[in-house]
Amino acid sequence: MIEAFDIHFSYAKSGAEILRGLSLSVADGEFVALLGTNGAGKSTLVNIISGFERQNLGRVLINSADTTKTSAIELAGMRAVLEQSFEPAFDPTAFELVLMGRYARTGALGNSDEDIAAAAESLRMTGLSEFADRRYSTLSGGEKRRANISRVLAQIYSDNGDYKGKNLLLDEPCAALDPAHSLLALKTAKALSKAGASVLCILHDPNQAFRFADKVALLKDGKIFFEGSPSEAANACMLSEVYGADCKITSAPDGFPVAIFC
Amino acid sequence: MTGKRTARQTAVFATLAILVLSGALLSLYIGSVHISLPDIFSALLAKGDETARVVVCDIRLPRLVAGLLAGAFLSCAGAAMQSLFRNPLADPSITGVSAGAALGAVLVICVFGQGALGGYALQAGALFCGLAACAAVWFLGRSRSGGVSVLNILLTGIAVNAFCGAVVGFMMYSARESGLKSFVFWSLGSLDAATWSVLVPCAVLGGIALAVLYLNADALNMLHLGQKQAFHAGVNIRRVQFAAMACAAALTAVSVAACGIIGFVGLVVPHILRLASGADNKTLLPLSALGGAALLTYADIASRAISLTDAVPIGAITSFIGAPVFLFILSNSRQTR
């Protein structure tokens, strides 16, 4: 469960206030999609909720624990974060990268059989099993993304399939992914939320939000501009205003709303 | 980072161990006085001829141990710096420690005169100023928000190094000829001043730093991902950064205090071993310790082979051998990638 209250954030240098008293919550078993324009502050919000960015006014609770008063290792046991793209130093293999996600669970004796199994299963979940021994630098952009999704899955992996009390923060999981792998990533996140996890997912495509989210939140001018069900969010007028581009809503053959910008 | 040793890592480990042992024997064997191998062993066991015992235990052995310790300490400090800064070009001198330690030593020489050479005051001065320089880099290099910025620390380190180097240069210039020899000692390194009274405290302090570093090996590995990613995975960033800086600084400072500035070891040894057996610090740190010990032992043998009476500065040898080897390995690894 994630609860953020009255979050304010300004950049230290320019002093520009990017988040202005934002509040947002994600219940157990809920999949919340966060939408907004580039630079709206979505990634900053994820960094604040994860506990990494601490220069903010307001309060963030993860499973009712205040993130500023909780140790890194305790937080890591409760929530995992998919960051935007990055390059690890010294070029680990895909498997080594995924195993690093197990840091919080690894004891002094090194990786247990359980860690190895969780890493292998997490690679399988993104369809990367065959790439386990490939160096990170030799992977394509989409494969790197999937390897990192696997790393995040390994961090909160539960071998009994119960994900209650686990929280997942995903910053554009579908960036650089082809349609099939985007679908796989979102289906995996959806399955975890069905198994009890709280999922907060930044998305760029509103249509993915309509299809997978239980709740859609629109970030505009440093606040949650709208929060509601996907069908309520599929409002041409509102989306036009948020994105600053003309939006029309139609519907897919299977009934989900589709937003088209033109 | 599977925690399981591969056959390749075992092979590298065995090779380095053999190199260290054979280098150690050779180092005890060569010298202006001829002592046979059996006599060396009996001297080590405090038996046999009195002269042989003095030569082996009080002259050659401290020299060997100084090389082993300085090599191991500098290489492990380098491995830690490279992990911390996520950069294979990082080396122990980046923290400002070596230049600071040299400045401390030179200050002590200026105040107490040449008689201080080899005494505790000199080592203490080197240690104190080395750690002070590192602390200055650490605090000046922090970003305004209180976080640790790697780039800031690197740049601050370069500035502090240059400043300390300049002060050493000024003092050497004013000290004229008498200072020239100690200038060479502190800037190019030497195992000549190694005595047990210096080595024992250095070994104890360095040993503690090595142990702390090894306990942080997993967290150091995580820093390869980047600060944010490591934090998200559960790493206490401030703690591991501080531990790595402090340990690397202590390791560098004690080796400078004992042997002066010996360049290139801390850069080249962990880099080569990372190419050979992977970036996992759980294996890289022990391998670097062995590799650095081997490199300095052979460099010392080479320096004495060139001139038995007046050994060539060891730092000149390490760079002279190390640089071409390093370039060769780099060009090879570029082809395979």
Side-chain angles (χ1 to χ4, degrees):
Chain A
M1 186 169 52
I2 300 164
E3 296 157 286
F5 304 108
D6 199 25
I7 303 296
H8 289 261
F9 182 83
S10 305
Y11 283 120
K13 274 185 189 154
S14 61
E17 199 177 18
I18 186 159
L19 297 176
R20 307 170 184 180
L22 177 155
S23 296
L24 183 68
S25 68
V26 186
D28 284 342
E30 193 176 32
F31 187 124
V32 175
L34 183 63
L35 303 177
T37 53
N38 296 148
K42 304 186 294 296
S43 296
T44 304
L45 179 61
V46 162
N47 287 340
I48 290 171
I49 290 175
S50 79
F52 179 73
E53 184 58 71
R54 288 176 182 218
Q55 311 292 111
N56 74 82
L57 300 162
R59 233 152 75 93
V60 177
L61 306 178
I62 290 188
N63 296 351
S64 306
D66 191 323
T67 52
T68 57
K69 296 183 183 113
T70 311
S71 70
I73 197 140
E74 280 177 87
L75 283 173
M78 299 191 283
R79 61 99 186 93
V81 188
L82 178 71
E83 304 86 1
Q84 285 190 1
S85 66
F86 67 98
E87 292 290 320
F90 307 123
D91 210 11
T93 65
F95 193 76
E96 286 170 344
L97 181 88
V98 175
L99 261 186
M100 288 171 116
R102 301 289 296 176
Y103 173 80
R105 316 245 196 121
T106 301
L109 295 174
N111 294 116
S112 62
D113 292 345
E114 203 183 321
D115 292 329
I116 307 280
E121 175 62 14
S122 302
L123 273 171
R124 198 193 59 73
M125 284 160 89
T126 60
L128 270 188
S129 297
E130 288 162 33
F131 296 76
D133 293 325
R134 284 267 296 273
R135 294 269 158 205
Y136 190 82
S137 65
T138 68
L139 299 175
S140 74
E143 287 158 2
K144 286 177 179 172
R145 197 79 190 129
R146 282 151 64 198
N148 278 301
I149 294 173
S150 297
R151 175 174 62 83
V152 167
L153 294 176
Q155 184 175 334
I156 57 161
Y157 183 76
S158 161
D159 49 9
N160 63 13
D162 179 15
Y163 280 85
K164 196 164 183 301
K166 308 278 186 180
N167 302 273
L168 204 51
L169 305 173
L170 304 171
D171 193 347
E172 293 184 40
C174 302
L177 295 192
D178 59 41
H181 286 111
S182 295
L183 207 58
L184 179 62
L186 290 172
K187 277 183 173 165
T188 307
K190 183 73 182 172
L192 294 187
S193 79
K194 283 259 165 60
S198 308
V199 179
L200 177 63
C201 183
I202 295 179
L203 289 173
H204 269 300
D205 182 355
N207 298 321
Q208 290 172 332
F210 299 154
R211 197 165 274 273
F212 288 96
D214 299 310
K215 187 167 86 179
V216 176
L218 294 174
L219 183 56
K220 188 178 189 295
D221 300 328
K223 286 186 174 172
I224 298 296
F225 177 77
F226 164 86
E227 193 176 355
S229 70
S231 54
E232 289 167 327
N235 177 316
C237 217
M238 182 173 71
L239 291 175
S240 299
E241 190 185 338
V242 166
Y243 284 107
D246 207 14
C247 175
K248 293 186 175 63
I249 300 286
T250 170
S251 68
D254 56 3
F256 283 105
V258 175
I260 296 169
F261 293 88
C262 47
Chain B
M1 305 175 194
T2 54
K4 294 185 173 50
R5 293 235 157 82
T6 62
R8 189 177 172 141
Q9 286 166 345
T10 313
V12 173
F13 187 85
T15 312
L16 290 176
I18 292 167
L19 276 176
V20 170
L21 282 177
S22 54
L25 275 183
L26 195 58
S27 175
L28 290 177
Y29 181 72
I30 64 164
S32 50
V33 183
H34 176 77
I35 304 170
S36 69
L37 274 180
D39 286 346
I40 288 175
F41 282 115
S42 48
L44 286 176
L45 298 168
K47 283 185 287 200
D49 179 44
E50 174 71 25
T51 324
R53 230 161 47 195
V54 170
V55 170
V56 172
C57 294
D58 292 341
I59 298 174
R60 291 185 194 172
L61 192 59
R63 191 181 184 92
L64 167 66
V65 171
L68 293 174
L69 289 180
F73 290 175
L74 289 172
S75 299
C76 287
M81 286 289 111
Q82 290 169 10
S83 266
L84 177 61
F85 292 119
R86 309 177 69 226
N87 191 327
L89 291 177
D91 85 346
S93 66
I94 264 173
T95 52
V97 188
S98 17
L103 175 59
V106 169
L107 278 174
V108 171
I109 294 173
C110 285
V111 175
F112 295 101
Q114 289 291 313
L117 209 71
Y120 279 121
L122 192 63
Q123 320 303 330
L127 200 60
F128 178 78
C129 287
L131 294 177
C134 177
V137 169
W138 177 258
F139 287 108
L140 292 173
R142 299 181 79 156
S143 59
R144 213 168 292 162
S145 60
V148 177
S149 154
V150 168
L151 186 65
N152 279 352
I153 288 186
L154 284 176
L155 293 173
T156 314
I158 289 168
V160 168
N161 263 332
F163 184 78
C164 291
V167 177
V168 170
F170 276 127
M171 296 177 101
M172 284 305 155
Y173 181 74
S174 54
R176 307 279 163 167
E177 273 168 45
S178 62
L180 202 61
K181 199 161 173 71
S182 44
F183 176 68
V184 171
F185 177 91
W186 289 106
S187 56
L188 285 171
S190 163
L191 304 182
D192 290 340
T195 57
W196 290 118
S197 61
V198 172
L199 290 177
V200 170
C202 285
V204 171
L205 202 59
I208 293 169
L210 278 188
V212 173
L213 209 50
Y214 191 74
L215 289 175
N216 281 285
D218 272 329
L220 266 176
N221 288 341
M222 295 302 292
L223 289 185
H224 297 175
L225 293 178
Q227 288 186 37
K228 192 198 288 177
Q229 288 77 6
F231 170 78
H232 285 156
V235 178
N236 184 334
I237 301 291
R238 293 266 178 97
R239 195 176 68 192
V240 63
Q241 282 179 328
F242 184 77
M245 274 290 270
C247 290
L251 288 169
T252 312
V254 296
S255 55
V256 174
C259 314
I261 296 180
I262 303 175
F264 220 55
V265 181
L267 173 71
V268 76
V269 170
H271 189 88
I272 289 174
L273 291 172
R274 196 178 288 111
L275 290 175
S277 71
D280 182 355
N281 283 301
K282 274 245 176 339
T283 49
L284 183 62
L285 285 171
L287 288 180
S288 294
L290 280 178
L295 177 61
L296 274 203
T297 305
Y298 282 101
D300 181 45
I301 291 168
S303 84
R304 281 186 291 157
I306 293 167
S307 162
L308 274 177
T309 46
D310 195 11
V312 178
I314 191 164
I317 304 275
T318 54
S319 300
F320 190 77
I321 306 173
V325 171
F326 189 50
L327 287 176
F328 174 74
I329 287 169
L330 271 185
S331 64
N332 267 7
S333 71
R334 206 180 304 141
Q335 279 157 14
T336 54
R337 235 174 241 166

